[in-house]
Amino acid sequence: MDIYDLFFYMSLGAGFLMAFNLGANDVANSMASAVGARAISVRQAVFIASILNFVGAVFMGSHVTSTISKGIINPEAISDPKLIMIGMFAALLAAATWVLIATLTSLPVSSTHSIVGAITGFGLVAGGPGVVNWLKMGGIVMSWIISPFLAAGIAFFIFSHIRKYILYKHHFIEQAKRWAPIWVALTLFLVCLSFLYKTPVGKGLHLHWTVSLLVASGFAVFSWLLGRIFVSRIVIDEEEGAEGVERIFRKMQVGTSCYVALSQGANDVANAIGPVAAIYLIAKEHQLLAKADVPLSMLILGGLGIAVGISLLGHKVMATVGSRITTLTNTRGFAVDIGAASTVLVASNLGLPVSTTHAAVGGVVGVGLARGFKAVDFRVLLRIIAYWVATVPIAALTSIVFFVLLKWLCYS
């Protein structure tokens, strides 16, 4: 066994560890609003997220290609492929370590930004400042500000609308039956566009944007018609109290949470498996191409890691995002889901490397602020923000330490 084979086998373990942390932190916080609003229990969230993330990762994941360096560094600027292999392994270990620390302290961080920071770290040491795409890094810094504020604003608006036109009205069951199908239609519209623009399967269809809009609009109209039947069957008694309204939105929120779990498995598995695929390519070809095929066995490894991660440690981050920032109900949780999903969709199409974690937390804060500043626990929020700001530099520094040590061991 030569050094290339050794690093490939070690990278499988490191990739599984990264996928484990992805499930425990990133995936868990996307299910947190549904758990916090009691639309589903922690056990149900773990079951749903494990199955749907595995399915998303294996069947809708990066079957064709995965961008290895995520555009953060230029691999061609590093002449020795062995250095890139060692660096990718160091980046995986560093990012996984940081996300694990955040998970054990019950705080949500972005695994995407962790791996980006870690790759930047070894890139700086291996190839110098010129190897890093600083414009891309600037976009990431901008996303720290844009994504949470945009999600908070959308969630604030949606929950305020639900309160004004449903919860504050005298006949709020009648109002819920009128507005809920419209929200269902809007949700399906977003889900459809998100599927077409955010998942590898949707992107593979190569639809023109006008066709995509027509397809999404068709789904929206169809779902509005179905929603009218669906909602009238959930609440039969017009005199039922606010629980009837919450029950309608509870059903809707289960649907949005399932979609989030599926799409997250499809999109985020590359954070764990992309560097493994890079190491696999170098071990096999002794060179790194800009993109590489990701074998199905690696996607299965990533899907399993995500499922095990959310099963064992997912409850920690779910508790923080779902109940410690503000109190969530089903109407508030629904507003959070739509705020986060809309932000990820819009920002991604603008080319911003937006984090689902940041959008989800921003949405929770938005619905909290709709009830006033006292409804938000700013001590928890400030701790979360501190971790967000620290993610890239800490992942980069840890990656540098691992890289220098491994380089010394391999080249001495």
Side-chain angles (χ1 to χ4, degrees):
M1 181 186 292
D2 61 18
I3 192 168
Y4 290 99
D5 291 333
L6 179 65
F7 267 92
F8 170 62
Y9 290 122
M10 289 197 302
S11 74
L12 291 177
F16 183 84
L17 181 64
M18 187 63 196
F20 175 92
N21 289 302
L22 194 72
N25 199 301
D26 263 32
V27 176
N29 72 56
S30 69
M31 300 295 286
S33 63
V35 173
R38 301 184 190 283
I40 48 177
S41 66
V42 172
R43 184 174 295 179
Q44 288 169 325
V46 166
F47 181 76
I48 292 169
S50 301
I51 300 292
L52 292 182
N53 266 276
F54 182 81
V55 171
V58 175
F59 296 104
M60 296 169 64
S62 306
H63 279 296
V64 184
T65 55
S66 174
T67 306
I68 301 305
S69 70
K70 304 181 81 68
I72 296 300
I73 61 165
N74 177 18
E76 292 175 0
I78 304 171
S79 56
D80 187 353
K82 197 197 293 185
L83 273 182
I84 300 175
M85 181 179 70
I86 295 170
M88 285 293 178
F89 180 73
L92 262 181
L93 274 187
T97 303
W98 171 243
V99 181
L100 181 62
I101 290 170
T103 305
L104 293 175
T105 50
S106 305
L107 292 174
V109 294
S110 166
S111 65
T112 305
H113 291 179
S114 300
I115 197 73
V116 163
I119 289 175
T120 303
F122 99 79
L124 280 171
V125 176
V131 82
V132 178
N133 184 344
W134 294 107
L135 191 63
K136 186 93 173 180
M137 284 300 296
I140 290 174
V141 173
M142 286 297 291
S143 80
W144 293 340
I145 301 164
I146 293 172
S147 55
F149 277 92
L150 185 59
I154 296 171
F156 181 96
F157 167 77
I158 291 173
F159 182 59
S160 298
H161 185 279
I162 291 171
R163 283 208 304 184
K164 183 177 179 182
Y165 289 98
I166 299 177
L167 298 175
Y168 285 176
K169 291 289 183 182
H170 184 61
H171 300 292
F172 45 72
I173 294 293
E174 185 183 324
Q175 287 293 105
K177 286 184 175 181
R178 178 184 172 196
W179 281 104
I182 296 173
W183 285 118
V184 168
L186 181 64
T187 304
L188 262 292
F189 181 77
L190 287 170
V191 164
C192 189
L193 282 183
S194 180
F195 177 82
L196 292 173
Y197 285 112
K198 282 289 291 173
T199 65
V201 173
K203 288 176 185 174
L205 296 174
H206 301 297
L207 296 180
H208 190 268
W209 67 269
T210 51
V211 178
S212 299
L213 278 179
L214 280 173
V215 171
S217 301
F219 269 103
V221 172
F222 182 66
S223 59
W224 176 75
L225 292 169
L226 280 183
R228 287 172 62 88
I229 302 169
F230 174 72
V231 168
S232 62
R233 288 185 178 177
I234 294 176
V235 183
I236 298 171
D237 185 4
E238 293 284 340
E239 300 304 317
E240 192 174 353
E243 175 54 28
V245 177
E246 294 295 334
R247 198 159 67 246
I248 293 170
F249 280 88
R250 189 179 307 148
K251 301 287 183 189
M252 292 158 62
Q253 204 188 355
V254 171
T256 54
S257 297
C258 288
Y259 170 72
V260 169
L262 190 71
S263 64
Q264 203 158 31
N267 287 299
D268 289 357
V269 70
N271 286 342
I273 299 304
V276 180
I279 294 168
Y280 167 72
L281 192 69
I282 295 170
K284 191 178 168 187
E285 305 288 342
H286 290 199
Q287 64 175 328
L288 177 64
L289 303 176
K291 293 185 175 181
D293 291 335
V294 179
L296 183 63
S297 57
M298 287 188 195
L299 292 173
I300 292 173
L301 180 77
L304 279 175
I306 291 173
V308 175
I310 192 170
S311 301
L312 295 183
L313 292 179
H315 62 279
K316 285 180 170 287
V317 173
M318 279 186 208
T320 301
V321 179
S323 59
R324 290 181 190 155
I325 299 173
T326 192
T327 305
L328 292 177
T329 60
N330 298 119
T331 45
R332 294 170 200 164
F334 176 78
V336 171
D337 285 347
I338 298 298
S342 308
T343 300
V344 171
L345 181 65
V346 171
S348 298
N349 286 312
L350 289 175
L352 290 172
V354 67
S355 160
T356 310
T357 302
H358 296 187
V361 172
V364 171
V365 175
V367 295
L369 289 176
R371 295 182 298 121
F373 282 92
K374 288 184 179 177
V376 177
D377 189 334
F378 284 97
R379 289 173 302 175
V380 175
L381 184 61
L382 286 174
R383 284 186 64 205
I384 292 171
I385 291 172
Y387 268 59
W388 288 357
V389 174
T391 290
V392 169
I394 286 184
L397 285 173
T398 313
S399 175
I400 288 171
V401 171
F402 287 154
F403 177 69
V404 170
L405 280 174
L406 288 167
K407 186 182 168 189
W408 177 73
L409 284 172
C410 294
Y411 282 85
S412 60

